[in-house]
Amino acid sequence: MTPKTFEPDDLNKVCKGDYLASVMEDLDGQDESSIALALGYFHIDDQGKKIPLVDHLKKAIDEAEKNHSATHKDEDNFFDIYKDRLVISDDHTGIVYVPKRLVEANKEFYEGTELVDFDIDYVNEEITYGDSDSAEEYIEELGFKEPMMVQSVMNMVYVNPWDLKWIEGSSWFTYEEIADYWGLRYEDCCKESSTWRDD
């Protein structure tokens, strides 16, 4: 008996053509099943589980590489996959603070993050650009009572795989998702001082 083959559940909501060529510049090399799910190449089985259709994805990629170009790729932003959905970075950035004691107590979890010590050197280099007086004022205004670490983050946005569009505001990551995406534990972050993104 020939194995049953499936088509993507909604062919109008798959990423293809120029859109596919654009996103694959950033997604190339990631797990093919994850890419298939994020880009709409899946079938939902009787149990409601999404089954990635990798062969359909590969055919679409081959067609995009031959006949299309990355005309929807912005060099200032990048595509990625988060929770099996296609996301893109945007221009809203933030600064997140985490107590150093929590980072040191969870070294394995925080390994690989971009956390650095929050000190006068950091503020001089990243915030006040060499103005030491302003740097000291900046630190005093934050009023931390213990050593902190800091990491710059960028907001991410969920986008439709079929047209790479999103609804402004409602598709943004929550603060919890921003923390998780950038390798931080939300409950460890200083909620009062972290900016998350410059709305």
Side-chain angles (χ1 to χ4, degrees), residues 5 10 19 43 49 52 60 75 93 96 114 116 129 173 180 190-191 196 198-199:
T5 58
D10 192 339
Y19 297 120
H43 164 70
K49 181 180 179 182
E75 294 302 323
T93 59
V96 179
E114 297 177 4
V116 297
Y129 305 108
F173 273 26
D180 183 52
C190 178
K191 314 300 187 301
W196 299 102
D198 48 0
D199 302 315

Side-chain angles (χ1 to χ4, degrees), residues 55-93:
D55 287 343
H56 285 278
L57 171 67
K58 288 181 176 179
K59 289 179 182 177
I61 291 174
D62 287 343
E63 194 277 334
E65 288 178 346
K66 292 175 182 176
N67 303 308
H68 298 273
S69 58
T71 56
H72 300 278
K73 181 73 175 75
D74 183 347
E75 294 302 323
D76 294 330
N77 301 104
F78 61 89
F79 293 101
D80 202 357
I81 295 172
Y82 179 73
K83 294 182 177 178
D84 292 332
R85 293 180 63 185
L86 182 65
V87 299
I88 190 173
S89 62
D90 74 3
D91 299 326
H92 297 86
T93 59

Side-chain angles (χ1 to χ4, degrees), residues 42-58:
F42 60 82
H43 164 70
I44 299 179
D45 66 13
D46 295 337
Q47 285 73 46
K49 181 180 179 182
K50 290 182 177 181
I51 308 301
L53 303 176
V54 174
D55 287 343
H56 285 278
L57 171 67
K58 288 181 176 179

